Amino acid sequence: MEVDWSKLPPYLVELVASKLTLDTDYIKFRSVCPKWRSLLSPSSPHLPPWLMLTFCTDPQLPTRRQFYFNGGGGASKCDFQNRLKLPEEDCKWGRCVGSSNGLIVLLSGKNSDILLFNPITRTQVFLPKFKIFPKVSCIRKIVLSKEGGDCIALASISKRFELGYCKKGNKAWSVIKEARGYGYDIIYFKGLFYGVNIIGWLAICDVNGGSAVVTVIKPSISVLYWDKDDLFHKFYLVDSFGELLLVARYLSVVNDPKFKNSDVIKTSKFRVFRLDTSAASSSSSSSSYAKWVEVYDLGERMLFVGGGSSALCLAATEVSGCEGNCIYFVSEYNDSPWNPDTGVFNLANSRIQPLKFPNSEWRCTPTAVWVKPYPC
């Protein structure tokens, strides 16, 4: 007797889906019938992101890249792995600058091509060539307004941290001159693009019309400071279930006996702030009243940052194998595979655990990006 799986009650479909611990199982489960596909989100909120090594680890398979994901082997242990093939013309896609909404951003320094690639469906979307600057190597990061090719892309570009955007159908990028210096990190948040500068001020960019409209707010952040041993910091903007967070990553130079007692750049700590605009609601000048308020406890939330990826916030209660109140991070500044700056920072005790990989692949983590699979 043939079973009509489409008649299974929706709550049972959602319950079973929430128990799946592998992206591949979730994708197959969602594909059983059209009804199940309509009930379930294309990307499961119950699964952690993948960590993609951005260079080849096997000379015999030059077009393949390693993808790791946590399968319940501990909060800091990556157990399972996939080897997925990048586009066939991989030889010219020499650089990956991160990922956004499940798409990997690949660049070609030879002819200024920019490709968005879905590693699950192998869908490819080309963005306009970056002719406003001589080389695509000036691109620091690209974020997308939504999944798929029908989206708006915002890029942080050049050493001056400028912002540029393009829409579907555009033949060229447009630079947002009013937002120069606000490309230390970028995010798409509540229908608008946000950029942050080196002191925590925000440029809110509305590019939905014919031209960009920029609003600058200057939240106070009086508690942001460096210890005497801190070299510099890196900012990340994170959408935490509708709340905008600013994550400050502090780096310092340390002597590491593991690397022949040489000096290396390492992450020393993180601090987290949330944007508070409650006082601004009663004033016409939000710049004077918005502030960054430090967050000392993330609860069950966990953050994934670094490597040019769009920062992610997930709930540990819904994701197996990961730990709440932690920041999972990969390297931003180290190019040497012998100097990884990758790990898990616990906000409760300020301790850092290294992120562990099978087969000694931990040495390859300096150039890696977080990818949240989106099988559409």
Side-chain angles (χ1 to χ4, degrees), residues 59-344:
Q60 303 301 317
L61 298 170
T63 62
R64 293 186 181 272
R65 297 295 182 269
Q66 291 286 94
F67 287 79
Y68 295 92
F69 49 100
N70 192 298
S76 62
K77 186 177 181 181
C78 294
D79 288 330
F80 295 95
Q81 57 180 304
N82 280 333
R83 233 182 243 275
L84 299 182
K85 189 175 182 181
L86 293 187
E88 285 73 10
E89 55 276 289
D90 178 64
C91 57
K92 76 173 184 177
W93 299 110
R95 183 176 173 224
C96 173
V97 294
S99 70
S100 179
N101 288 334
L103 300 179
I104 299 168
V105 183
L106 300 170
L107 305 180
S108 168
K110 183 179 295 185
N111 51 12
S112 301
D113 285 325
I114 306 173
L115 174 67
L116 305 178
F117 176 67
N118 188 320
I120 303 297
T121 64
R122 301 192 58 77
T123 301
Q124 300 181 30
V125 177
F126 286 88
L127 297 180
K129 293 180 183 294
F130 224 75
K131 296 180 180 180
I132 53 177
F133 285 89
K135 296 180 180 179
V136 293
S137 59
C138 64
I139 298 178
R140 305 176 64 87
K141 183 176 182 177
I142 291 179
V143 298
L144 308 174
S145 60
K146 62 179 182 180
E147 299 83 3
D150 187 13
C151 62
I152 304 174
L154 182 78
S156 170
I157 49 184
S158 82
K159 294 181 179 179
R160 292 177 293 183
F161 298 95
E162 294 178 277
L163 300 182
Y165 73 97
C166 71
K167 301 179 182 180
K168 183 182 181 181
N170 288 166
K171 296 182 179 180
W173 291 75
S174 300
V175 174
I176 307 176
K177 296 180 180 179
E178 300 84 354
R180 176 173 290 177
Y182 284 85
Y184 278 80
D185 196 36
I186 51 180
I187 190 175
Y188 187 72
F189 180 71
K190 294 186 176 180
L192 300 170
F193 286 104
Y194 283 64
V196 64
N197 69 7
I198 194 171
I199 59 175
W201 293 357
L202 295 168
I204 305 173
C205 306
D206 185 348
V207 296
N208 296 303
S211 59
V213 178
V214 179
T215 302
V216 173
I217 64 173
K218 304 176 181 178
S220 62
I221 189 166
S222 59
V223 294
L224 183 63
Y225 60 85
W226 290 267
D227 292 335
K228 61 181 178 64
D229 295 327
D230 291 330
L231 182 64
F232 56 97
H233 69 260
K234 171 74 171 70
F235 280 147
Y236 304 97
L237 294 172
V238 188
D239 182 351
S240 176
F241 303 104
E243 182 177 59
L244 186 63
L245 300 182
L246 179 71
V247 179
R249 177 178 183 173
Y250 296 83
L251 299 108
S252 59
V253 176
V254 299
N255 185 270
D256 196 329
K258 294 180 181 178
F259 303 103
K260 300 180 180 179
N261 289 316
S262 59
D263 289 339
V264 296
I265 297 176
K266 291 284 189 178
T267 297
S268 57
K269 62 178 178 290
F270 285 88
R271 300 177 71 185
V272 181
F273 306 86
R274 64 175 178 83
L275 183 64
D276 181 6
T277 59
S278 58
S281 60
S282 59
S283 170
S284 59
S285 176
S286 61
S287 299
S288 302
Y289 292 90
K291 58 182 178 180
W292 291 112
V293 178
E294 187 156 12
V295 177
Y296 298 97
D297 188 350
L298 290 170
E300 292 300 323
R301 292 175 291 177
M302 52 189 178
L303 310 180
F304 297 82
V305 303
S309 311
S310 294
L312 299 169
C313 178
L314 301 174
T317 52
E318 296 185 355
V319 178
S320 62
C322 295
E323 186 177 336
N325 204 27
C326 286
I327 300 174
Y328 291 73
F329 64 94
V330 292
S331 183
E332 287 276 4
Y333 301 98
N334 297 324
D335 295 324
S336 169
W338 299 102
N339 181 19
D341 185 26
T342 300
V344 183

